[in-house]
């Protein structure tokens, strides 16, 4: 018998709004099942699906089961046990009736219990966050225990719309009750940035502009928008990736040493460094949009029927950012993200300066590479001697390879959504985006977004699957 999460023996209701959508199917229910298998959910947890679809309990359970890979009979038995914790409420009616029905269902599940914790995961379009969160506060807010609300990015479209969302949430939900989900903050290798920086003297002492030539962060996907072009057309790669995932990674790479690893201290340091970042300039930016392949096998972005023929929505962006403080002044931070590229990879590269000693003229820069996904690992490229009979040293770059595969047991690395859901259950907002961080991050990108929305900038086309790295932009900033 496994031990459940200590301190949370009281009943906890986890409500997934949008329970029949892609996010719930692909991420949330698999993550919840994995937490169930790891015995890390509260002992008295109940999972409630809520969506407009008219589904019976049996139909809903079949959907939950279809979202999980069953490898053997043991997993099948565990899945059956997990599904006994799941119920469904249909919200197909208009107005207040669906939320009244949800309230009644939650109260029925809580009958006879003292504490009634409620967690609401809004796996919904951002356009309905305000109305749904208001209804949840009116009808479903727990009067006897905690209530928390989880919302997915993007949090607005620019600085002003983000502030409007914040103002709309404030009357109903306190900051400590709001968990803004950025799933990259739940990834193991992103969290490892802090340990690498602050747990190793050899790195901590050279983590500054005196020793670092540039920082490069890439988030690349080999898939396109996959039939979601209409939705993506209102977002684009900058709002979808750079303003949130990318900037969170950069803040962890560049923030000052926190007083502790507590949520309060980490958020405070991230919120201090982001305002030091200058707004991204259009002249330091390349935007692109993918087209169909020459053989027509892969469609272009505008081949999607839901995308306007004159769409200027960027599916690729490369830019250079700068942080104006004493640690990072003058160090270019090269950020790059795109869809329909030649590979799927998220990677961080810290390129150090060349040695100033003339003894070894053929050395290459030391480079620390953090592979976030796939094949998690850390690599440090160093200069070493090439064994030979020649007189004198002959340098060759070699990698110190700290790949996780083979060192960390398979299945031990938790998924991002597992970590973030568990944080919300425990009330730990270490990996949540705080309001002041959000405000500062929109300041960095809003001028560029407005420039592009008004038709500014040249949109470069690239074929689906092309190696489109925006290399012309980076020329002169990196010796890689």
């Amino acid at each position: 018998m496994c031990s459940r999460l200590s301190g949370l023996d009281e009943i906890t209701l986890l409500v997934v709004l949008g329970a029949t959508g892609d996010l719930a199917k692909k991420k949330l229910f698999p993550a919840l099942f994995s937490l169930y298998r790891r015995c890390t959910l509260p002992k008295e947890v109940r999972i409630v699906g809520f969506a407009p679809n008219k589904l019976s309990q049996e139909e809903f359970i079949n959907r939950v089961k279809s979202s999980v890979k069953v490898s053997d009979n043991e997993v099948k038995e565990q899945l059956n046990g997990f599904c006994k914790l799941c119920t469904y409420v249909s919200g197909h009616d208009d107005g207040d009736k669906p939320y009244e029905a949800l309230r009644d269902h939650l109260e029925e599940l809580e009958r006879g219990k003292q504490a009634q914790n409620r967690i609401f995961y809004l796996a919904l379009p951002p356009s309905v966050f305000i109305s749904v969160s208001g209804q949840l506060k009116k009808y479903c807010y727990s009067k006897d225990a905690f209530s928390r609300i989880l919302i997915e990015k993007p949090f607005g479209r620019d600085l002003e719309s983000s502030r409007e969302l914040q103002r709309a949430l404030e009357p109903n939900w306190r900051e400590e009750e709001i968990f803004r989900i950025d799933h990259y903050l739940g990834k193991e290798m992103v969290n490892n940035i802090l340990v690498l920086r602050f747990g190793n003297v050899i790195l901590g002492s050279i983590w500054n502009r005196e020793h670092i030539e540039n920082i490069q962060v890439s988030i690349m996907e080999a898939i396109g928008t996959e039939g979601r072009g209409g939705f993506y057309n209102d977002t684009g790669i900058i709002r979808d990736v750079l303003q949130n995932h990318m900037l969170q990674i950069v803040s962890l790479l560049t923030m000052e040493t926190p007083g502790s690893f507590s949520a309060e201290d980490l958020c405070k340091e991230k919120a201090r460094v982001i305002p030091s970042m200058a707004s991204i300039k259009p002249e330091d930016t390349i935007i692109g949009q993918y087209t169909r392949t020459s053989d027509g096998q892969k469609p272009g972005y505008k081949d999607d029927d839901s995308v306007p023929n004159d769409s200027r929505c960027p599916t690729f962006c490369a830019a250079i950012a700068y942080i104006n403080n004493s640690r990072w002044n003058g160090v270019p931070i090269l950020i790059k993200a795109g869809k329909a590229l030649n590979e799927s990879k998220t990677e961080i590269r810290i390129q150090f300066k060349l040695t100033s000693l003339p003894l070894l003229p053929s050395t290459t820069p030391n480079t620390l590479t953090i592979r976030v996904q796939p094949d998690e690992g850390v690599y440090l490229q160093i200069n070493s001697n090439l064994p030979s009979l020649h007189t004198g040293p002959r340098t060759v770059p070699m990698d110190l390879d700290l790949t996780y595969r083979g060192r960390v047991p398979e299945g031990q690395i938790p998924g991002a959504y597992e970590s973030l859901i568990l944080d919300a259950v425990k009330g730990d907002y270490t990996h949540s985006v705080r309001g002041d961080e959000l405000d500062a991050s929109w300041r960095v990108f809003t001028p560029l977004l407005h420039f592009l929305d008004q038709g500014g900038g040249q949109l470069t086309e690239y074929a689906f699957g092309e190696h489109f790295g925006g290399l012309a932009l980076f020329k002169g900033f990196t010796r890689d």
Side-chain angles (χ1 to χ4, degrees):
M1 182 168 178
C2 60
S3 59
R4 293 290 174 184
L5 199 62
S6 61
L8 284 174
D9 290 335
E10 65 271 21
I11 187 169
T12 298
L13 302 180
L14 205 159
V15 183
V16 179
L17 295 96
T20 57
D22 276 354
L23 178 62
K25 179 178 181 178
K26 295 178 181 178
K27 300 295 183 181
L28 302 186
F29 287 118
L32 287 166
F33 177 58
S34 183
L35 290 172
Y36 173 81
R37 292 188 68 197
R38 294 177 189 269
C39 299
T40 49
L41 289 173
K43 182 178 180 181
E44 291 292 328
V45 70
R46 296 293 183 272
I47 298 165
V48 180
F50 183 73
N53 308 62
K54 291 184 178 180
L55 298 178
S56 66
Q57 175 69 10
E58 182 180 0
E59 289 172 326
F60 174 66
I61 293 301
N62 287 336
R63 286 198 178 213
V64 173
K65 288 183 176 180
S66 69
S67 69
V68 176
K69 291 182 180 179
V70 177
S71 55
D72 53 44
N73 287 332
E74 181 183 1
V75 176
K76 185 176 181 180
E77 290 180 9
Q78 291 172 331
L79 181 57
N80 289 332
F82 172 75
C83 287
K84 291 178 182 178
L85 304 177
C86 301
T87 56
Y88 181 73
V89 176
S90 174
H92 65 276
D93 292 324
D94 295 328
D96 296 347
K97 287 185 178 180
Y99 297 94
E100 292 174 346
L102 179 60
R103 175 199 60 199
D104 295 343
H105 184 73
L106 298 181
E107 290 179 352
E108 180 61 30
L109 291 175
E110 294 168 338
R111 197 175 305 279
K113 306 289 183 179
Q114 290 184 345
Q116 303 172 353
N117 303 325
R118 298 179 181 182
I119 299 172
F120 303 97
Y121 200 120
L122 272 61
L124 300 167
S127 58
V128 300
F129 283 169
I130 294 174
S131 60
V132 171
S133 63
Q135 293 284 57
L136 290 174
K137 180 59 183 285
K138 181 178 179 181
Y139 290 104
C140 302
Y141 192 87
S142 178
K143 299 179 178 64
D144 302 312
F146 69 70
S147 288
R148 294 169 185 148
I149 188 169
L150 284 68
I151 58 178
E152 282 270 346
K153 61 87 181 170
F155 314 109
R157 289 182 52 79
D158 57 12
L159 178 59
E160 183 52 39
S161 61
S162 174
R163 287 177 171 176
E164 287 176 5
L165 176 59
Q166 290 299 104
R167 287 192 291 266
L169 291 173
E170 282 173 0
N172 296 320
W173 300 88
R174 301 188 304 274
E175 176 66 24
E176 61 267 27
E177 294 176 326
I178 302 171
F179 284 72
R180 300 173 189 86
I181 298 298
D182 185 330
H183 72 270
Y184 263 74
L185 290 176
K187 291 184 179 293
E188 172 59 29
M189 294 309 297
V190 173
N191 292 321
N192 197 19
I193 291 171
L194 297 176
V195 178
L196 287 172
R197 282 192 61 190
F198 304 120
N200 297 284
V201 173
I202 191 172
L203 293 179
S205 60
I206 58 174
W207 209 263
N208 53 57
R209 64 188 179 93
E210 300 298 328
H211 301 281
I212 291 178
E213 182 78 14
N214 63 69
I215 298 172
Q216 305 172 44
V217 186
S218 301
I219 300 178
M220 303 185 293
E221 292 184 89
I223 61 172
T225 53
E226 306 292 311
R228 298 173 64 247
F231 166 79
Y232 202 80
N233 206 60
D234 292 329
T235 306
I237 195 72
I238 299 174
R239 293 182 175 96
D240 186 41
V241 177
L242 270 70
Q243 180 272 331
N244 36 72
H245 303 331
M246 188 72 75
L247 216 55
Q248 286 296 319
I249 291 174
V250 170
S251 67
L252 292 172
L253 289 168
T254 58
M255 69 185 221
E256 294 298 316
T257 307
S260 71
F261 276 6
S262 69
E264 181 65 29
D265 286 347
L266 288 175
C267 289
K268 180 172 66 176
E269 290 304 330
K270 285 195 294 176
R272 283 180 58 193
V273 74
I274 297 175
S276 299
M277 184 179 293
S279 297
I280 304 294
K281 298 178 180 179
E283 58 267 31
D284 288 338
T285 305
I286 289 177
I287 58 170
Q289 186 184 94
Y290 70 88
T291 60
R292 75 182 65 169
T293 53
S294 58
D295 60 7
Q297 294 296 309
K298 292 289 187 179
Y301 175 69
K302 287 190 284 194
D303 291 332
D304 189 319
D305 292 337
S306 61
V307 176
N309 291 330
D310 60 350
S311 171
R312 283 178 43 83
C313 174
T315 59
F316 174 91
C317 182
I320 299 175
Y322 292 94
I323 293 177
N324 299 320
N325 63 20
S326 59
R327 181 185 290 272
W328 299 112
N329 190 42
V331 177
I333 301 171
L334 289 51
I335 55 179
K336 177 178 65 176
K339 287 185 170 292
L341 297 172
N342 62 312
E343 62 179 333
S344 291
K345 181 175 69 175
T346 298
E347 191 172 82
I348 301 162
R349 288 192 175 198
I350 312 296
Q351 186 168 299
F352 294 92
K353 294 184 177 181
L354 277 168
T355 176
S356 58
L357 294 175
L359 299 175
L360 300 168
S362 60
T363 57
T364 58
N366 299 138
T367 303
L368 176 69
T369 301
I370 303 171
R371 175 68 68 85
V372 177
Q373 63 183 22
D375 301 326
E376 297 93 335
V378 180
Y379 312 89
L380 179 60
Q381 181 178 279
I382 62 172
N383 293 293
S384 186
N385 185 54
L386 180 66
S388 71
L389 295 175
H390 290 273
T391 303
R394 299 176 65 193
T395 59
V396 61
M398 290 187 178
D399 281 342
L400 298 177
D401 186 345
L402 298 176
T403 308
Y404 270 36
R405 183 184 296 171
R407 291 182 172 87
V408 179
E410 187 175 354
Q412 184 171 318
I413 301 176
Y417 280 92
E418 292 176 52
S419 299
L420 297 174
I421 291 172
L422 192 57
D423 282 350
V425 170
K426 296 187 293 185
D428 181 353
Y429 55 90
T430 301
H431 303 127
S432 175
V433 180
R434 209 167 66 176
D436 50 355
E437 292 179 63
L438 182 62
D439 203 73
S441 67
W442 277 118
R443 284 179 179 272
V444 174
F445 285 100
T446 291
L448 174 63
L449 287 166
H450 286 178
F451 173 77
L452 297 175
D453 289 345
Q454 292 164 11
Q458 179 182 349
L459 188 69
T460 303
E461 292 185 341
Y462 62 99
F464 195 119
E466 183 180 341
H467 180 66
F468 182 65
L471 295 178
L473 175 71
F474 298 160
K475 188 176 180 181
F477 287 96
T478 172
R479 298 185 180 90
D480 189 1

